Amino acid sequence: MLFLSGGTGTPKLLQGVKTLLPQENITTIVNTAEDTWESGNLVCPDIDTILYLFSDQIDETKWWGVKQDTFHTHNALKKLGEREQMMIGDTDRASHIIRSNLIRAGKNLTEATQILARQMHIKANILPMSNDSVATTLHTDKGWLHFQDFWITEKGLPHIEQVQIKGIERAKITEDIRNAIESEDTIIIGPGNPVTSIGPILKLRGMKTLLKDKKVIAISPIINNKPVSGPAGKLLSAEGYSVSSAGVAEYYGDILSLFVIDKQDNTSPEDFDVPVIKTDTMMTSIKKSTGLAKKIIELQA
Ligand code: GDP
């Protein structure tokens, strides 16, 4: 099975999927537009979450970082005057150091991710959306901000006027991704921020053509005009879409074959141009993630 993922919603779904399928049968294409260098190392927040999920290390209370991690290096760096805007745990940083050393030694991000995954005994196939650097920047009432500056330093508060995915026009789809998509009939877009997590993957040159003849099933991250978590609402508005499941379906456009919305969402299935299924999408426990995963596995058949 093949998933497109950001760093919170799809990982929750994958937590259920991995209780039902062998990891070898799971491929995840992961957003890299939120990647950033921090204290000398390349942090890939969404890839890290997926790595820690499949190696059973993820801190499920936050959906980032390693559970029970310590923060000695982070605290020491801050004391020494480093910016360190992200809270990076000591174990988490070990992955960043290895990744950055591999990249400095000439490996690309896909190779570095594969090496890290192997070291963590992960059998799932984790594919960065591109080896080329891409960065989501937001034009706000505080000027242009990298997504991480908006979300962490500014706590998601500034008004967003414009979204720019820097480098997306030049970024290439990797051979691994092309092969992975070509060998699947169905693609699952998990619940994710449509603009900053799934959008960059879909905007890669050639991606929509690759998905054209596939059965694409997406799960809405919005329930009744509110995202379950995070800034998806602000970003959809900034892009001119309504903050609703209908707005998300419109954003994804004609690549969609089937759209899954929450059973509590009041929007009528008739309001969509695409077939809609209502089910419980609130993944507040592994049991609930597994329930939704089971449903998605049934739907892909
Ligand atoms: P990020 O990389 O941390 O920004 O996270 P994602 O791109 O994965 O975005 C998380 C999106 O998934 C948010 O827009 C949430 O509204 C949505 N989300 C999070 N948890 C759930 C859930 O349990 N169910 C549903 N339907 N959506 C969720």
Side-chain angles (χ1 to χ4, degrees), residues 6-12 31 34 46 147 191-194 196-197 219-223 227-232 262 281-284:
T8 309
T10 311
K12 284 189 195 171
N31 173 44
E34 291 171 25
D46 294 353
F147 178 79
N193 189 320
T196 55
S197 293
I219 299 133
S220 179
I222 308 273
I223 305 177
V228 176
S229 61
D262 195 83
T281 71
M282 279 300 293
M283 296 176 282
T284 44

Side-chain angles (χ1 to χ4, degrees), residues 262-282:
D262 195 83
K263 63 179 187 186
Q264 294 179 60
D265 198 314
N266 293 326
T267 328
S268 158
E270 276 97 74
D271 291 348
F272 295 85
D273 292 333
V274 61
V276 165
I277 284 187
K278 284 196 179 189
T279 191
D280 186 0
T281 71
M282 279 300 293

Side-chain angles (χ1 to χ4, degrees), residues 12 15 47 91 104 109 117 125 131 196 214 235 253-254 286:
K12 284 189 195 171
Q15 192 185 39
I47 293 176
T91 309
R104 282 188 279 260
L109 188 58
N125 190 13
N131 290 322
T196 55
K214 306 289 175 185
L235 285 147
D254 57 10
I286 297 192

Side-chain angles (χ1 to χ4, degrees), residues 113-154:
T113 306
Q114 278 163 353
I115 291 167
L116 275 170
R118 211 176 311 132
Q119 293 302 100
M120 295 182 194
H121 309 292
I122 293 170
K123 297 280 190 309
N125 190 13
I126 303 172
L127 300 174
M129 68 179 214
S130 178
N131 290 322
D132 302 312
S133 154
V134 170
T136 296
T137 54
L138 309 173
H139 190 236
T140 72
D141 48 1
K142 295 222 164 178
W144 280 101
L145 298 172
H146 185 281
F147 178 79
Q148 300 296 357
D149 293 319
F150 163 79
W151 188 235
I152 300 172
T153 314
E154 301 292 339

Side-chain angles (χ1 to χ4, degrees), residues 87-231:
M87 280 273 292
I88 297 172
D90 297 316
T91 309
D92 191 9
R93 194 182 306 271
S95 314
H96 306 159
I97 292 171
I98 293 170
R99 169 186 297 130
S100 309
N101 281 340
L102 288 165
I103 295 217
R104 282 188 279 260
K107 300 279 187 214
N108 62 39
L109 188 58
T110 302
E111 292 163 337
T113 306
Q114 278 163 353
I115 291 167
L116 275 170
R118 211 176 311 132
Q119 293 302 100
M120 295 182 194
H121 309 292
I122 293 170
K123 297 280 190 309
N125 190 13
I126 303 172
L127 300 174
M129 68 179 214
S130 178
N131 290 322
D132 302 312
S133 154
V134 170
T136 296
T137 54
L138 309 173
H139 190 236
T140 72
D141 48 1
K142 295 222 164 178
W144 280 101
L145 298 172
H146 185 281
F147 178 79
Q148 300 296 357
D149 293 319
F150 163 79
W151 188 235
I152 300 172
T153 314
E154 301 292 339
K155 301 186 168 43
L157 294 173
H159 174 72
I160 305 171
E161 282 146 17
Q162 198 189 333
V163 183
Q164 197 180 25
I165 318 281
K166 278 197 179 155
I168 198 73
E169 314 78 24
R170 291 188 315 275
K172 288 181 286 301
I173 292 177
T174 62
E175 261 326 286
D176 296 83
I177 288 186
R178 194 175 296 281
N179 293 338
I181 294 177
E182 280 175 355
S183 61
E184 295 282 345
D185 296 326
T186 306
I187 315 294
I188 313 295
I189 301 180
N193 189 320
V195 180
T196 55
S197 293
I198 307 300
I201 304 175
L202 297 179
K203 285 197 162 92
L204 286 167
R205 203 163 2 105
M207 180 59 85
K208 288 201 171 168
T209 312
L210 273 179
L211 297 178
K212 204 164 63 83
D213 297 323
K214 306 289 175 185
K215 178 172 173 181
V216 177
I217 306 175
I219 299 133
S220 179
I222 308 273
I223 305 177
N224 289 329
N225 308 103
K226 266 183 82 170
V228 176
S229 61

